[in-house]
Short mmCIF file of all heavy atoms in Angstrom, two decimals:
data_model
loop_
_atom_site.label_atom_id
_atom_site.label_comp_id
_atom_site.label_asym_id
_atom_site.label_seq_id
_atom_site.Cartn_x
_atom_site.Cartn_y
_atom_site.Cartn_z
N PHE Q 99 90.66 116.50 96.11
CA PHE Q 99 90.22 116.37 97.51
C PHE Q 99 90.29 114.91 97.97
O PHE Q 99 90.86 114.60 99.03
CB PHE Q 99 88.80 116.91 97.68
CG PHE Q 99 88.17 116.56 99.00
CD1 PHE Q 99 88.50 117.27 100.14
CD2 PHE Q 99 87.28 115.50 99.10
CE1 PHE Q 99 87.93 116.94 101.36
CE2 PHE Q 99 86.70 115.16 100.32
CZ PHE Q 99 87.04 115.88 101.45
N LEU Q 115 100.43 99.98 111.34
CA LEU Q 115 101.18 98.72 111.24
C LEU Q 115 102.54 98.84 111.92
O LEU Q 115 103.04 97.87 112.50
CB LEU Q 115 101.35 98.33 109.77
CG LEU Q 115 100.08 97.83 109.07
CD1 LEU Q 115 100.33 97.66 107.58
CD2 LEU Q 115 99.61 96.52 109.67
N ALA Q 169 72.63 114.95 82.50
CA ALA Q 169 73.20 113.61 82.64
C ALA Q 169 74.68 113.64 83.07
O ALA Q 169 75.07 112.87 83.96
CB ALA Q 169 73.03 112.82 81.35
N VAL Q 215 74.32 105.38 83.16
CA VAL Q 215 74.19 106.75 82.61
C VAL Q 215 75.53 107.23 82.07
O VAL Q 215 75.59 107.87 81.00
CB VAL Q 215 73.65 107.71 83.69
CG1 VAL Q 215 73.58 109.14 83.16
CG2 VAL Q 215 72.26 107.26 84.16
N THR Q 245 83.71 97.23 80.49
CA THR Q 245 84.18 96.06 81.24
C THR Q 245 83.94 96.22 82.73
O THR Q 245 83.57 95.24 83.40
CB THR Q 245 85.68 95.82 80.96
OG1 THR Q 245 85.89 95.84 79.55
CG2 THR Q 245 86.12 94.50 81.52
N ALA Q 256 73.86 89.77 95.26
CA ALA Q 256 73.75 89.44 96.68
C ALA Q 256 72.28 89.51 97.10
O ALA Q 256 71.48 90.21 96.49
CB ALA Q 256 74.58 90.42 97.51
N TRP Q 270 76.78 83.31 95.71
CA TRP Q 270 77.49 82.04 95.72
C TRP Q 270 78.63 82.11 96.72
O TRP Q 270 78.98 83.18 97.20
CB TRP Q 270 78.04 81.70 94.33
CG TRP Q 270 78.50 82.91 93.57
CD1 TRP Q 270 79.58 83.70 93.84
CD2 TRP Q 270 77.84 83.50 92.47
NE1 TRP Q 270 79.64 84.73 92.96
CE2 TRP Q 270 78.59 84.64 92.09
CE3 TRP Q 270 76.70 83.17 91.71
CZ2 TRP Q 270 78.24 85.47 91.03
CZ3 TRP Q 270 76.35 83.98 90.65
CH2 TRP Q 270 77.11 85.11 90.32
N ILE Q 298 94.34 108.11 79.20
CA ILE Q 298 94.94 109.39 79.59
C ILE Q 298 96.32 109.53 78.95
O ILE Q 298 96.67 110.59 78.41
CB ILE Q 298 95.03 109.48 81.13
CG1 ILE Q 298 93.62 109.53 81.74
CG2 ILE Q 298 95.85 110.69 81.55
CD1 ILE Q 298 93.60 109.51 83.26
N TYR Q 300 97.46 108.20 76.20
CA TYR Q 300 97.40 108.38 74.75
C TYR Q 300 96.91 109.76 74.33
O TYR Q 300 97.10 110.16 73.19
CB TYR Q 300 96.51 107.29 74.12
CG TYR Q 300 97.26 106.03 73.79
CD1 TYR Q 300 96.94 104.82 74.41
CD2 TYR Q 300 98.29 106.04 72.88
CE1 TYR Q 300 97.63 103.66 74.10
CE2 TYR Q 300 98.99 104.88 72.56
CZ TYR Q 300 98.65 103.69 73.18
OH TYR Q 300 99.35 102.56 72.88
N LEU Q 336 95.03 82.98 92.86
CA LEU Q 336 94.54 81.82 93.62
C LEU Q 336 95.44 80.61 93.45
O LEU Q 336 94.98 79.47 93.52
CB LEU Q 336 93.10 81.50 93.16
CG LEU Q 336 92.08 82.62 93.40
CD1 LEU Q 336 90.77 82.31 92.71
CD2 LEU Q 336 91.85 82.84 94.89
N TRP Q 357 102.66 90.53 79.29
CA TRP Q 357 103.87 91.35 79.33
C TRP Q 357 104.12 92.02 77.98
O TRP Q 357 104.49 93.20 77.91
CB TRP Q 357 105.05 90.46 79.74
CG TRP Q 357 106.38 91.11 79.63
CD1 TRP Q 357 106.75 92.30 80.18
CD2 TRP Q 357 107.52 90.63 78.92
NE1 TRP Q 357 108.06 92.59 79.88
CE2 TRP Q 357 108.56 91.57 79.10
CE3 TRP Q 357 107.78 89.48 78.17
CZ2 TRP Q 357 109.82 91.40 78.55
CZ3 TRP Q 357 109.04 89.31 77.63
CH2 TRP Q 357 110.04 90.27 77.81
N GLU Q 400 106.89 93.09 86.45
CA GLU Q 400 106.90 92.44 87.76
C GLU Q 400 105.66 91.58 87.96
O GLU Q 400 105.74 90.47 88.50
CB GLU Q 400 107.00 93.50 88.85
CG GLU Q 400 107.15 92.94 90.24
CD GLU Q 400 107.17 94.02 91.31
OE1 GLU Q 400 106.60 95.11 91.07
OE2 GLU Q 400 107.74 93.78 92.38
N ASN Q 458 108.02 120.74 90.03
CA ASN Q 458 109.32 120.08 90.17
C ASN Q 458 109.51 119.53 91.58
O ASN Q 458 109.96 118.39 91.78
CB ASN Q 458 110.43 121.07 89.82
CG ASN Q 458 111.63 120.39 89.20
OD1 ASN Q 458 111.50 119.39 88.51
ND2 ASN Q 458 112.81 120.94 89.46
N LEU Q 481 111.95 88.96 102.67
CA LEU Q 481 112.37 88.49 104.00
C LEU Q 481 111.25 87.66 104.64
O LEU Q 481 111.51 86.59 105.21
CB LEU Q 481 112.74 89.68 104.87
CG LEU Q 481 113.21 89.36 106.30
CD1 LEU Q 481 114.47 88.50 106.27
CD2 LEU Q 481 113.46 90.66 107.07
N GLN Q 482 110.00 88.15 104.55
CA GLN Q 482 108.87 87.39 105.08
C GLN Q 482 108.78 86.01 104.45
O GLN Q 482 108.67 84.99 105.15
CB GLN Q 482 107.56 88.13 104.79
CG GLN Q 482 107.16 89.17 105.81
CD GLN Q 482 105.87 89.86 105.38
OE1 GLN Q 482 105.63 90.09 104.20
NE2 GLN Q 482 105.04 90.18 106.34
N ALA Q 537 94.77 132.67 90.91
CA ALA Q 537 95.63 133.76 90.46
C ALA Q 537 95.20 134.34 89.13
O ALA Q 537 95.53 135.47 88.79
CB ALA Q 537 97.07 133.27 90.38
#
Side-chain angles (χ1 to χ4, degrees):
F99 168 79
L115 287 172
V215 177
T245 311
W270 35 69
I298 295 176
Y300 272 117
L336 299 170
W357 172 53
E400 185 183 26
N458 211 32
L481 180 61
Q482 273 178 324

